């Protein structure tokens, strides 16, 4: 992290990743991630071959590195029908053009952490996904032991929707993965079985309460003199008529 006691104030600017970023991009990935990426991946990123990316630079640096990457995010568009989480989205079966945006890598060099750079990069991704009418969500995987990343995506309002066993294989060992999703353009998840059961129970409880209240009123009316029941009914009719014609009653203006 930058020295908070100094007077230095970084000025962070976000831009597309360019071919000139190739070596620095690869070095940062090596420093940050336990997974090793092929050189071809970095070439695809810097040349935009099927990968959409954003970089962060500090233009206030005075060491001649004011255009050097200090943060990045790389993404790829995935057709909805080809994604591993198609079942989590509400799709119109007649449309084949719906897609998702998958976050491949996200990172910030250590000296520039806790400045909101990662959050801004993810916001760029969400904004881009939202601008694509056929896109329904942004999703990614997080290795199960990376608690800071898990907390970060929860803070960014991504939903943790699934745990995948043995998703990663790193240095001879398997690790689980958490799958996070941020819905855009109405691509919210369909109701789960638990949500359906919960909704039914809430509805049923309300129905029983209404039925019980009705039965109580019926029993109470049986014990009243006949002349009192008629008086109460006439009074109710007058009140109801007043409510219907009242221009001040916002509930009835839509009838």
């Amino acid at each position: 992290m930058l020295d908070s006691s100094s007077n230095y104030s970084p000025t962070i600017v976000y831009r597309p990743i360019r071919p000139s970023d190739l070596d620095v991009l690869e070095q940062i990935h090596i420093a940050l991630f336990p997974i090793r990426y092929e050189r071809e991946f970095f070439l695809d990123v810097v040349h935009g071959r099927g990968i959409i990316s954003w970089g962060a630079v500090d233009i206030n640096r005075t060491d001649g590195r004011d255009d050097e990457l200090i943060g990045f995010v790389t993404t790829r568009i995935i057709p909805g029908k080809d994604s591993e989480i198609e079942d989590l989205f509400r799709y119109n079966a007649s449309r084949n053009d719906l897609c998702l945006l998958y976050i491949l890598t996200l990172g910030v060099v250590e000296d520039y952490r806790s400045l909101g750079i990662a959050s801004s990069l993810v916001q760029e991704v969400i904004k881009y996904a939202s601008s694509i009418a056929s896109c329904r969500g942004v999703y990614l995987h997080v290795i199960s032991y990376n608690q800071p990343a898990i907390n970060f995506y929860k803070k960014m309002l991504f939903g943790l929707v699934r745990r995948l066993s043995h998703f990663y294989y790193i240095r001879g060992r398997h690790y689980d993965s958490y799958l996070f999703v941020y819905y855009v353009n109405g691509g919210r998840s369909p109701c789960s079985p638990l949500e359906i059961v919960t909704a039914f129970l809430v509805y049923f409880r309300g129905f029983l309460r209404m039925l019980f209240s009705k039965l109580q009123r019926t029993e109470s009316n049986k014990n009243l003199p006949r002349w009192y029941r008629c008086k109460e009914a006439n009074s109710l009719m007058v009140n109801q008529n007043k409510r219907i014609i009242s221009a001040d009653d916002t509930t009835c203006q839509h009838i």
Side-chain angles (χ1 to χ4, degrees):
M1 186 187 301
L2 294 174
D3 185 2
S4 58
S5 63
S6 70
N7 293 324
Y8 180 74
S9 178
T11 302
I12 309 303
V13 172
Y14 302 92
R15 61 164 175 79
I17 293 178
R18 302 191 288 248
S20 58
D21 298 317
L22 178 62
D23 291 337
V24 172
L25 182 67
E26 187 170 6
Q27 290 167 12
I28 300 176
H29 274 75
I30 292 172
L32 295 182
F33 302 120
I35 298 174
R36 293 293 172 259
Y37 294 86
E38 299 291 335
R39 181 75 170 182
E40 191 65 24
F41 167 75
F42 300 108
L43 289 170
D44 288 343
V45 173
V46 300
H47 292 291
R49 296 198 294 246
I51 294 179
I52 306 100
S53 62
W54 292 262
V57 298
D58 177 8
I59 62 172
N60 210 27
R61 293 176 71 164
T62 58
D63 56 1
R65 300 160 66 188
D66 57 329
D67 197 42
E68 182 176 301
L69 289 182
I70 49 95
F72 60 85
V73 62
T74 64
T75 67
R76 186 193 301 276
I77 293 177
I78 307 291
K81 56 184 176 57
D82 296 336
S83 76
E84 61 190 294
I85 57 169
E86 183 181 10
D87 60 305
L88 294 178
F89 292 83
R90 287 180 177 168
Y91 285 108
N92 182 340
S94 64
R95 293 188 60 180
N96 295 319
D97 62 332
L98 298 179
C99 65
L100 307 168
L101 194 61
Y102 181 67
I103 295 180
L104 297 163
T105 60
L106 168 70
V108 177
V109 300
E110 189 172 355
D111 287 345
Y112 282 86
R113 290 178 186 170
S114 301
L115 296 177
I117 296 172
S119 299
S120 295
L121 287 167
V122 171
Q123 287 294 347
E124 290 292 329
V125 173
I126 292 172
K127 184 166 63 175
Y128 177 76
S130 300
S131 72
I132 304 173
S134 59
C135 186
R136 292 296 177 266
V138 178
Y139 76 108
L140 66 136
H141 297 92
V142 176
I143 199 165
S144 58
Y145 64 71
N146 192 348
Q147 196 59 48
I150 292 168
N151 295 339
F152 168 76
Y153 285 109
K154 285 182 177 179
K155 186 184 74 172
M156 296 297 295
L157 302 181
F158 279 70
L160 199 171
V161 296
R162 191 168 288 170
R163 180 169 183 149
L164 305 171
S165 297
H166 295 175
F167 184 83
Y168 293 105
Y169 186 72
I170 304 172
R171 301 189 185 105
R173 183 176 173 184
H174 285 100
Y175 295 92
D176 291 354
S177 165
Y178 290 115
L179 195 151
F180 285 88
V181 180
Y182 187 100
Y183 300 107
V184 299
N185 300 327
R188 55 202 173 94
S189 175
C191 293
S192 67
L194 177 60
E195 290 172 322
I196 294 173
V197 171
T198 301
F200 174 77
L201 290 176
V202 170
Y203 170 80
F204 189 65
R205 185 174 61 182
F207 173 76
L208 289 178
R209 190 176 296 162
M210 180 190 70
L211 190 62
F212 181 71
S213 177
K214 224 174 187 181
L215 289 173
Q216 276 189 322
R217 286 201 302 270
T218 302
E219 289 298 321
S220 297
N221 286 341
K222 284 182 180 179
N223 297 325
L224 291 174
R226 188 172 185 278
W227 65 269
Y228 187 86
R229 293 202 300 270
C230 292
K231 180 181 178 182
E232 187 183 50
N234 290 334
S235 175
L236 179 62
M237 287 176 63
V238 171
N239 289 337
Q240 287 176 335
N241 288 336
K242 285 182 179 178
R243 182 183 174 100
I244 289 173
I245 63 174
S246 172
D248 294 329
D249 192 330
T250 57
T251 304
C252 298
Q253 287 176 7
H254 302 286
I255 293 177

